[in-house]
Amino acid sequence: MALTLLAIGIGALGAFLFNTIGMPAAFLTGSAAAVAIAILVGLPIDLPNPVRAGSFSVLGTVMGSSISPEALQQLATAPIALVGLVMVIAGTTAASAAMLCWLGGWDRLSALCGSIPGNLPLVLAVSTDGGARMDRVVMAQSLRLFILVAIIPFALGGSEQGGLHMAPPDTTAFDVVFTLALTAVAVFVAYKIRIPAPALMGPLIIGAAMSITGLARVAIPDWMAAFALIMLGASVALRFRGVERDGLMRMFLASLAGFVAAALTSLAVATVFAEVLGRPLGTVFLAYAPGGIDTMIALSFLLNYDVAFVALIHTARMILLSLSLPPIVSALGRRWRSESSVGG
């Protein structure tokens, strides 16, 4: 409990400082920065999964409520966007892995697993089974997500100041309880039917349904939405806990180079498909960005981009990776181990 309270306190302090000085997406970026610093200096902090899942669920409902009928109609271009998604997955993975092998001297399996964009739990699972260096994989994956959270709000502009006023002025306690009850039901159903990222996507769907149909209104107090963003930022930073300190700087520099290669590749594809789809570059880049589904959807909401489109593309990414990643990594791992044994 003490470690959890410490993480919450540090994240809240960072969020408060960033908000005070007017930083973009302050609750998310400030929390991530403060918790990352705490981890790097060796503070023992923790955030239990129920706290994370609860925060993601609240954010899902909040973000879903921003989806309009007009946004859903624009999803007709999604099949074309999926072509770009496949190109981004292949291109960013290859570019990052090549940089990690060339500059960092990483083995091919660790470089591959450290470069796969999104779906971190699955990546860690196949990395462990395949025998990759987990400290390298965690560093590359965590650094990429942290930089995206820290850089995108500045690069694309925007602030969550206007986005946290979720509860109407005449909101009652019943409205809040009803919204949270629907959120809990949505999470339960999402887990049962195995929706990707159920803690986030289930509430996002119910929030969108409430907003579009008008049958119920989303009533999430501002303080609760802010707390959920702080917990998301802390969750991003906590991923650095699995990084071994031996050779930390070299791993960091190699991972940074891998991120730059992946981000430039993603930006290049996003620029082309933004023109083809007739969508803002920021929306397409967030949909294609090599980051986690929860964080990229949250950023699209905070920066006033199309949440429905970003959520759809990242969900498709998770499904595609879930189907293709285990056999590909397993086959390549066996091949590379065989080549090493023959060469040795």
Side-chain angles (χ1 to χ4, degrees):
M1 177 62 73
L3 300 183
T4 300
L5 292 176
L6 182 60
I8 293 173
I10 292 173
L13 177 61
F16 173 77
L17 291 176
F18 272 43
N19 188 59
T20 300
I21 61 179
M23 301 289 272
F27 292 106
L28 180 63
T29 57
S31 173
V35 173
I37 292 172
I39 291 171
L40 291 177
V41 301
L43 288 181
I45 56 180
D46 189 28
L47 203 61
N49 286 331
V51 175
R52 301 187 197 189
S55 299
F56 294 168
S57 299
V58 169
L59 283 178
T61 303
V62 169
M63 293 183 291
S65 68
S66 69
I67 297 176
S68 64
E70 292 76 18
L72 293 181
Q73 292 174 1
Q74 294 177 7
L75 293 182
T77 59
I80 299 175
L82 293 178
V83 176
L85 174 64
V86 174
M87 294 173 61
V88 163
I89 292 175
T92 57
T93 300
S96 175
M99 190 64 67
L100 291 173
C101 288
W102 173 67
L103 186 62
W106 292 18
D107 63 279
R108 287 178 290 183
L109 183 61
S110 297
L112 171 65
C113 293
S115 301
I116 296 167
N119 208 344
L120 183 62
L122 178 63
V123 171
L124 295 180
V126 298
S127 301
T128 302
D129 291 342
R133 280 275 302 271
M134 294 308 297
D135 55 341
R136 292 177 173 178
V137 174
V138 172
M139 169 58 87
Q141 293 283 350
S142 301
L143 183 65
R144 180 172 64 237
L145 182 57
F146 182 81
I147 294 176
L148 285 170
V149 170
I151 297 285
I152 284 180
F154 294 93
L156 301 182
S159 170
E160 80 275 12
Q161 295 302 314
L164 291 182
H165 299 295
M166 293 309 306
D170 58 344
T171 294
T172 65
F174 174 80
D175 293 327
V176 175
V177 171
F178 182 71
T179 299
L180 294 178
L182 281 179
T183 298
V185 171
V187 172
F188 176 79
V189 173
Y191 272 103
K192 284 294 184 181
I193 63 177
R194 299 179 182 277
I195 291 178
L200 176 76
M201 294 304 297
L204 189 146
I205 293 170
I206 200 66
M210 292 168 67
S211 175
I212 292 170
T213 64
L215 296 177
R217 61 180 180 177
V218 172
I220 299 292
D222 295 351
W223 67 265
M224 190 177 295
F227 178 81
L229 286 169
I230 291 170
M231 293 302 94
L232 176 57
S235 297
V236 170
L238 281 169
R239 292 180 176 179
F240 285 107
R241 289 184 305 174
V243 177
E244 298 292 337
R245 295 192 178 275
D246 293 340
L248 185 63
M249 183 53 66
R250 184 174 180 179
M251 274 196 296
F252 173 84
L253 292 176
S255 298
L256 182 60
F259 163 78
V260 172
L264 290 177
T265 302
S266 181
L267 180 60
V269 177
T271 300
V272 173
F273 276 83
E275 289 294 325
V276 173
L277 299 171
R279 290 180 174 273
L281 176 59
T283 295
V284 181
F285 178 73
L286 285 172
Y288 288 164
I293 181 174
D294 44 13
T295 312
M296 294 303 101
I297 294 175
L299 283 173
S300 69
F301 170 74
L302 292 177
L303 302 176
N304 294 316
Y305 288 115
D306 190 339
V307 173
F309 179 77
V310 174
L312 177 65
I313 300 303
H314 275 280
T315 300
R317 182 205 300 272
M318 290 190 69
I319 294 173
L320 182 59
L321 289 176
S322 297
L323 294 175
S324 62
L325 197 55
I328 290 175
V329 173
S330 176
L332 289 176
R334 286 196 303 269
R335 177 181 174 181
W336 289 335
R337 285 193 297 271
S338 175
E339 291 176 356
S340 298
S341 63
V342 171

